[in-house]
Amino acid sequence: MLYLLILLLASSVLAKNYTERLIVGHFPAEFAFGVASSTYQVEGAWDADGKGRSIWDVFAHQPGHIKDGSTGDVSDDQYHKFKEDVQHLKWLGVTHYRLSIAWTRLLPDGTINNINQKGIDHYNAVIDELFNNNIVPFVTLFHWDLPQGLQDYGGWENDTIIEHYKNYADLCFKSFGDRVTNWITFNEPFITSWMGHETGINAPGIKDVDAEYRTAHNLIRSHVKAYRHYDQRYKTAQMGRVGITLDTEWKEPRTESPADLAASNRAMVFRLGWFANPIVYGDYPKIMKDKLAERSKIQGHAGSRLPTFTAAEIAENKGALDFLGINHYSTNFVQSTTSDKTKPGFFNDQDVAYISTNKYAWGLRKLLNYIKTTYGNIDVYITENGAADCGTNEDQVRVDYVKRYLNAVLQAIQDGCPVKGYFVWSLLDSFEWNSGYTVKMGLFRVDFSRPDLPRYPKTSAYFYQSICKEKGFTQSILDFRAFAKDRDEFVYGQFPAGFMWGLATAAYQVEGAWNEDGKGPSIWDDFAHQSGRIANGDTGDVACDSYHKYKEDVQMLKHVGVTFYRFSIAWSRVLPDGTLGSLNSKGIDYYNRLIDELLANNITPFVTLYHWDLPSALQKQGGWLNESIIDRYNDYAKLCFENFGDRVKLWLTFNEAYVISWLGHGIGIFAPGIKSPGTGVYQVAHNIIRSHVKAYHSYDTLFRSRFNGKVGITLDIEWKEPFTMSSDDGYAAERALQFKLGWFANAIFGNGDYPSVMKQYVAAKSKSQHLLKSRLPEFTDDEKRMNAGSYDFLGINHYTTNLVSDVPNTDSTPSYERDQDIETREDPCWEKTPVDWLRVNPWGIRKLLNYIKSRYGNPTVYITESGRPDVDGVDDQGRISYYKSYTNELMKAINIDGCNVKGYTGWSLMDNLEWSSGYSLRFGVYYVNFTDPARPRTPRKSVDFLRNLFSNNGFYKQ
């Protein structure tokens, strides 16, 4: 009669519909806010200080069991770093921490005959550290890591395990029970039974369709034995409580038909009731017993595959818990089916079809109401709940998940469900069992690439911190987001009328003809001819042979439908030794022909004066380190203005001044290969800025009235996103922007001087290095006045985003990089490309443009390079996706945010010599066959995409 009443009540919950909504409200005063972890997943130190091997130590070391081939040997090394992690818990503001004890750390072979005092000492230290920081330990005795010594004797399938487990539990109660008052005997016995003993995808890797029921039977008996032992021997003195954690999805009927409602109830009974019914009511659920008895008989078994409890065991089982832990992550949609009765297996035994699984928070509310109606007013703790992702810091998915599910818990409490606490899974990114480290579930990111395994709070950590502080949900907490809601949304629309579309190349990368028709050598000619400088020994001697094939290139541009073509002039082709005295008319003629060919095809020439290829003769005089370069550059610029300015209306003085300074003169990996990271790098930049300013004013004074063109400079910059939400990382990200973009932009687009933060930091570092003055040069007052406003537009080369954290650098060696006290990295969730430095992150370009708008007064901007390398062949879907997403974010920046952007340039027109990478990277929308002397070009699929984008001037719904 009782069973029928329970079934009726449970069915009413199954049929009840809950809408998912969020409410403002607070939890009861004593509600436990916690986070969880487990020993094997976080501790590491797998064989340290006398610890024995567990089944997971053995399983993970066997090839093929773990997705990424990893193990938990080190994991988060919480064994040594527990004090640090307790401080993370304290920072979060949690009241409780759910941790597990490694059986093999206390009892290396699993038996009481071999006690390891160092293991006991370790957990005493952990528990004391928690107590000292006002955090309540919530301890799991068994989280899947059975001693291998016991597995060798049959493990959970051997009845002797029950006494071994009781002895282990007794040792824990005796050693830690004076401070631990919340005990979980087992975590997810379903997983141990089914995944460990039927499917074998978890340790110990047993594949036996009957073993799961035998295993579960002994797990239940072990729980009851430990519970009764605590109740009789320790409870009065220690005043603790003992429960068990069961895992279950909510089983939602696909329809409200009686058959599907019955299937839903059957699925709940097989999963939750399998363990909950014996512990609450003494025996297995009737549905389970009947189903398995019927199936076992058909399958030829003498008795049921489901073991039987004796009358004494049923009496002992009943009520053997003080609370119920629930691990819940998702909802299954199920329907009734008739499975093959001759086929044994846990899921086949149910006559239930599992249709789909979804992350519906109302499923948790339904589950809690189901538990209340099915098992009475047992105290419930949500002992695990959380979301997996690829490890991003701005983990909006996790924020939304915890927000929705914990809010559903609050609503369940308002329904009258006796829920006493909630634990997020998990504190740290860790070893996620057979997935290894391929998924991340932590509130804290762990950098597994570093030996010290540093932890960093994700956005979800800040979010959960606010919940713990408020003890519930305010409207501001409900509105909390890691990033703007529209950040990743694709929008349809058009760019402003007159928006310019182009593709780009650079002289040394495409022209070839390095020593033809009077051209002089450049520093890149020299650099590439030195052994070991360029990948595969490549050079730009021939490159794409655009010197001879420029007409074909123009037809390629016309086919794509560009508005303009951004190319560069080779200084040493028009002035072989860099000075006016060496004027080469054939070089002038070449660029005249190229410009005329472009105009004849209605393509605007967008000309870069200097794209890194300084004449070698000037380098011998000191190059950019010698102030004389300023006048030499100005002479060259005026020559170009005079010869081409009647047709060229868009000029760039320099491409990526940062690269010239740092890569060419700081670390020396680009031409001219000079390594002067502390001083030379700054002097070069100083002279580049002065050269730009002089050339700009030369154009303004001598040519603007004649030609009415515009002069700008191209600066390269990644968006610098704070690594965490800390103010220190926020300041570091701003500092990074100032040290890279502001280094050049502040003088030209700002107040005429270097950024104040740059001056302060370099001066302080220089002083600490016992230098008499800052390594950063100074502009005179006259220079500052000339610098400020020396532009008509700003060119921006943008490819990717960096995450930036504040890391004070104690190395006293002078260096531009170390001057900044920052560290940069990439988000693991951003799409990878063939180069480590370029991850795909479209929203960075929108943030960057808004930063430029606010910092520099919304100047006219052209995106003068943007793109990514992709496959050798023509099906470059990665490049198409890149251009689509980046230009869409660009359109948002213009149309929604009001950023003054006038054009976009894809890098590049064709595959070319990618500097020190040679021809190993392919950025082109046209494929170039470099093994063929004719250098044939073939359009990639991205050409068609760009043709459509350019002709539509935006995005239309199909």
Side-chain angles (χ1 to χ4, degrees):
M1 189 68 179
L2 177 62
Y3 173 76
L4 292 175
L5 177 61
I6 292 168
L7 183 59
L8 181 63
L9 291 169
S11 296
S12 70
V13 176
L14 292 169
K16 187 174 181 179
N17 290 318
Y18 294 102
T19 57
E20 187 153 324
R21 60 192 178 94
L22 297 174
I23 64 171
V24 170
H26 291 79
F27 288 85
E30 300 305 316
F31 191 83
F33 291 93
V35 291
S37 66
S38 83
T39 293
Y40 186 74
Q41 294 179 268
V42 299
E43 270 192 2
W46 75 285
D47 59 353
D49 293 338
K51 179 186 173 293
R53 291 186 307 156
S54 76
I55 56 174
W56 271 96
D57 292 321
V58 174
F59 189 77
H61 287 163
Q62 295 169 352
H65 284 152
I66 310 302
K67 187 174 182 179
D68 57 2
S70 62
T71 72
D73 291 1
V74 178
S75 189
D76 300 313
D77 196 26
Q78 195 176 80
Y79 184 74
H80 298 106
K81 295 170 72 71
F82 69 88
K83 289 187 177 182
E84 177 185 337
D85 288 342
V86 170
Q87 291 309 303
H88 296 321
L89 293 165
K90 186 177 182 180
W91 177 87
L92 280 171
V94 297
T95 58
H96 292 64
Y97 178 45
R98 181 184 168 214
L99 67 150
S100 72
I101 291 173
W103 190 338
T104 55
R105 203 173 287 287
L106 304 189
L107 303 174
D109 66 2
T111 74
I112 203 70
N113 300 322
N114 185 11
I115 298 174
N116 179 30
Q117 186 60 43
K118 287 184 178 179
I120 294 173
D121 293 344
H122 169 71
Y123 292 111
N124 270 322
V126 172
I127 292 164
D128 287 345
E129 189 71 15
L130 290 167
F131 259 86
N132 291 339
N133 286 276
N134 298 311
I135 299 166
V136 177
F138 213 99
V139 177
T140 304
L141 291 172
F142 183 78
H143 201 122
W144 308 352
D145 49 351
L146 185 71
Q148 184 62 37
L150 296 179
Q151 184 61 41
D152 292 341
Y153 290 94
W156 292 109
E157 294 186 75
N158 187 331
D159 288 357
T160 61
I161 195 75
I162 299 167
E163 190 65 22
H164 289 307
Y165 179 80
K166 189 267 289 183
N167 291 337
Y168 159 61
D170 176 75
L171 178 63
C172 292
F173 298 150
K174 182 166 55 182
S175 300
F176 316 123
D178 58 329
R179 290 148 295 156
V180 176
T181 54
N182 295 285
W183 296 97
I184 294 170
T185 55
F186 291 94
N187 178 77
E188 300 182 352
F190 166 79
I191 299 297
T192 303
S193 304
W194 181 65
M195 294 178 71
H197 292 79
E198 181 184 318
T199 67
I201 60 177
N202 272 14
I206 293 170
K207 298 178 181 180
D208 183 342
V209 290
D210 295 331
E212 77 269 37
Y213 293 117
R214 295 193 300 269
T215 296
H217 198 65
N218 282 338
L219 288 166
I220 294 167
R221 294 160 79 197
S222 297
H223 161 81
V224 172
K225 185 98 168 178
Y227 175 84
R228 296 300 178 195
H229 182 70
Y230 184 87
D231 194 48
Q232 295 161 13
R233 185 165 178 179
Y234 294 102
K235 191 166 214 170
T236 301
Q238 296 181 356
M239 301 181 66
R241 300 189 305 161
V242 177
I244 189 170
T245 280
L246 307 179
D247 66 306
T248 184
E249 305 83 11
W250 172 246
K251 313 295 184 179
E252 180 73 4
R254 186 184 183 191
T255 71
E256 293 187 9
S257 68
D260 283 357
L261 285 168
S264 175
N265 183 67
R266 198 157 59 245
M268 288 301 305
V269 165
F270 262 80
R271 182 71 176 267
L272 181 64
W274 185 9
F275 299 93
N277 271 54
I279 295 168
V280 176
Y281 297 120
D283 200 2
Y284 292 117
K286 186 175 186 301
I287 292 174
M288 247 187 124
K289 292 199 292 184
D290 290 348
K291 278 280 180 189
L292 280 158
E294 173 198 19
R295 295 295 172 93
S296 299
K297 186 176 181 180
I298 291 171
Q299 293 157 8
H301 293 275
S304 175
R305 288 166 38 238
L306 183 68
T308 303
F309 292 114
T310 66
E313 284 176 328
I314 291 172
E316 189 83 355
N317 292 347
K318 192 178 297 184
L321 79 168
D322 298 316
F323 65 85
L324 176 61
I326 289 292
N327 291 355
H328 174 82
Y329 291 91
S330 59
T331 290
N332 294 148
F333 284 79
V334 301
Q335 69 180 30
S336 180
T337 190
T338 301
S339 56
D340 184 351
K341 296 181 180 181
T342 65
K343 182 181 177 182
F346 170 77
F347 281 100
N348 201 62
D349 291 335
Q350 300 175 43
D351 283 343
V352 173
Y354 287 77
I355 306 303
S356 63
T357 300
N358 291 281
K359 307 291 184 184
Y360 291 129
W362 51 255
L364 178 54
R365 185 179 176 190
K366 277 196 169 187
L367 173 61
L368 292 169
N369 276 274
Y370 174 90
I371 291 169
K372 180 184 70 172
T373 58
T374 306
Y375 299 111
N377 286 319
I378 297 170
D379 285 352
V380 173
Y381 290 86
I382 305 302
T383 43
E384 283 184 29
N385 180 246
D389 65 15
C390 46
T392 182
N393 269 33
E394 293 184 328
D395 53 342
Q396 184 63 40
V397 168
R398 187 168 291 104
V399 169
D400 285 341
Y401 184 97
V402 172
K403 184 188 299 182
R404 293 167 47 240
Y405 275 79
L406 183 51
N407 203 265
V409 172
L410 178 61
Q411 294 174 54
I413 291 172
Q414 293 180 352
D415 296 336
C417 299
V419 187
K420 303 302 180 183
Y422 173 89
F423 293 78
V424 175
W425 185 270
S426 60
L427 173 62
L428 306 172
D429 291 340
S430 60
F431 179 85
E432 283 297 332
W433 306 109
N434 50 37
S435 294
Y437 300 99
T438 62
V439 299
K440 307 294 192 298
M441 299 194 71
L443 296 177
F444 282 77
R445 175 178 175 174
V446 178
D447 190 340
F448 294 104
S449 69
R450 301 189 179 190
D452 58 336
L453 299 165
R455 287 89 152 114
Y456 308 97
K458 301 177 186 176
T459 305
S460 58
Y462 289 91
F463 170 68
Y464 194 53
Q465 181 190 56
S466 66
I467 291 176
C468 293
K469 181 179 181 181
E470 189 62 33
K471 307 298 182 188
F473 292 94
T474 62
Q475 189 58 50
S476 64
I477 292 174
L478 293 180
D479 293 339
F480 182 102
R481 290 191 58 81
F483 48 79
K485 190 174 182 180
D486 71 341
R487 191 187 78 175
D488 297 318
E489 292 179 359
F490 186 87
V491 299
Y492 290 92
Q494 283 188 291
F495 286 80
F499 189 82
M500 299 180 71
W501 298 99
L503 290 167
T505 63
Y508 183 73
Q509 294 181 268
V510 299
E511 280 185 359
W514 76 282
N515 60 355
E516 290 186 37
D517 292 340
K519 178 185 175 293
S522 76
I523 57 174
W524 269 96
D525 292 319
D526 298 339
F527 191 76
H529 291 159
Q530 296 169 12
S531 176
R533 293 293 198 177
I534 310 293
N536 306 311
D538 294 335
T539 73
D541 292 359
V542 178
C544 305
D545 198 22
S546 287
Y547 185 74
H548 300 106
K549 295 169 71 71
Y550 70 91
K551 288 188 177 182
E552 181 178 339
D553 294 346
V554 171
Q555 290 308 304
M556 288 154 50
L557 290 160
K558 186 176 182 179
H559 176 74
V560 182
V562 300
T563 315
F564 67 89
Y565 176 43
R566 181 188 166 213
F567 64 95
S568 73
I569 293 174
W571 188 341
S572 63
R573 195 176 292 284
V574 295
L575 298 175
D577 70 2
T579 70
L580 293 176
S582 64
L583 179 64
N584 178 28
S585 61
K586 289 185 177 180
I588 299 290
D589 291 345
Y590 167 70
Y591 291 111
N592 273 321
R593 291 196 302 272
L594 172 57
I595 291 165
D596 290 344
E597 188 72 16
L598 288 167
L599 292 171
N601 286 276
N602 297 312
I603 298 169
T604 298
F606 198 140
V607 176
T608 306
L609 289 171
Y610 186 78
H611 202 124
W612 309 350
D613 47 352
L614 187 71
S616 301
L618 294 181
Q619 183 60 43
K620 290 174 183 176
Q621 298 171 22
W624 293 107
L625 287 166
N626 187 334
E627 287 189 351
S628 66
I629 196 71
I630 299 167
D631 288 333
R632 300 291 78 76
Y633 177 81
N634 192 51
D635 291 341
Y636 160 61
K638 288 190 295 182
L639 176 73
C640 292
F641 296 151
E642 182 67 51
N643 281 274
F644 314 124
D646 58 330
R647 290 152 294 155
V648 175
K649 307 303 179 184
L650 292 168
W651 294 95
L652 289 165
T653 55
F654 290 90
N655 178 76
E656 298 186 352
Y658 163 84
V659 173
I660 303 164
S661 306
W662 180 238
L663 273 64
H665 295 82
I667 54 178
I669 62 172
F670 277 16
I674 292 171
K675 297 180 180 180
S676 182
T679 55
V681 60
Y682 289 122
Q683 188 59 53
V684 166
H686 199 64
N687 287 336
I688 287 173
I689 293 169
R690 295 156 82 194
S691 297
H692 160 83
V693 171
K694 188 155 189 171
Y696 173 83
H697 286 293
S698 290
Y699 188 90
D700 198 46
T701 302
L702 302 174
F703 301 98
R704 190 180 298 277
S705 61
R706 291 168 56 193
F707 300 140
N708 197 29
K710 295 180 179 180
V711 178
I713 187 172
T714 277
L715 305 177
D716 63 306
I717 183 67
E718 309 81 14
W719 172 244
K720 309 293 185 179
E721 181 77 2
F723 183 47
T724 73
M725 291 180 68
S726 72
S727 58
D728 285 346
D729 284 357
Y731 294 139
E734 170 65 23
R735 196 160 63 247
L737 283 164
Q738 289 300 308
F739 259 83
K740 188 166 185 182
L741 179 64
W743 187 7
F744 302 93
N746 207 69
I748 300 167
F749 299 85
N751 65 4
D753 199 2
Y754 292 115
S756 57
V757 69
M758 196 172 180
K759 294 197 295 183
Q760 291 165 9
Y761 267 69
V762 179
K765 294 280 186 177
S766 299
K767 185 177 180 180
S768 71
Q769 291 152 3
H770 309 293
L771 300 175
L772 297 179
K773 65 176 184 177
S774 175
R775 289 179 280 105
L776 184 68
E778 295 181 1
F779 292 113
T780 66
D781 289 342
D782 284 344
E783 285 177 327
K784 291 175 189 176
R785 283 190 290 271
M786 293 292 286
N787 292 344
S790 59
Y791 70 93
D792 297 314
F793 64 88
L794 170 61
I796 288 292
N797 290 358
H798 174 80
Y799 290 87
T800 189
T801 293
N802 296 148
L803 300 176
V804 182
S805 54
D806 179 70
V807 180
N809 199 306
T810 58
D811 189 332
S812 62
T813 307
S815 167
Y816 159 79
E817 278 193 338
R818 286 190 282 270
D819 287 340
Q820 302 175 55
D821 284 349
I822 63 168
E823 185 173 71
T824 62
R825 70 196 79 207
E826 291 73 41
D827 190 297
C829 293
W830 298 340
E831 180 187 348
K832 294 181 179 180
T833 70
V835 284
D836 290 340
W837 62 267
L838 202 169
R839 296 278 187 111
V840 178
N841 182 49
W843 51 259
I845 195 170
R846 183 180 179 187
K847 282 200 169 188
L848 173 62
L849 291 168
N850 275 275
Y851 177 87
I852 291 169
K853 173 189 171 186
S854 63
R855 169 63 69 169
Y856 302 115
N858 207 15
T860 297
V861 172
Y862 290 88
I863 303 300
T864 42
E865 284 183 26
S866 179
R868 59 156 288 179
D870 207 347
V871 296
D872 284 356
V874 298
D875 190 11
D876 55 342
Q877 294 301 320
R879 183 175 291 110
I880 291 171
S881 176
Y882 181 99
Y883 280 136
K884 182 178 181 180
S885 58
Y886 273 65
T887 55
N888 199 256
E889 290 297 316
L890 173 61
M891 189 171 71
K892 291 181 193 176
I894 297 169
N895 294 346
I896 298 173
D897 308 331
C899 297
N900 187 21
V901 186
K902 300 300 184 183
Y904 178 87
T905 318
W907 184 268
S908 62
L909 170 62
M910 63 192 124
D911 297 336
N912 53 51
L913 182 110
E914 282 298 334
W915 308 109
S916 60
S917 297
Y919 300 105
S920 63
L921 296 177
R922 294 182 176 268
F923 277 85
V925 297
Y926 279 83
Y927 170 83
V928 178
N929 183 356
F930 293 106
T931 64
D932 188 329
R935 299 296 194 266
R937 288 91 151 110
T938 305
R940 290 191 167 101
K941 289 188 176 180
S942 54
V943 167
D944 290 335
F945 169 78
L946 291 180
R947 273 171 57 87
N948 185 62
L949 173 64
F950 296 172
S951 63
N952 288 329
N953 199 34
F955 301 95
Y956 285 95
K957 285 187 177 180
Q958 298 298 320

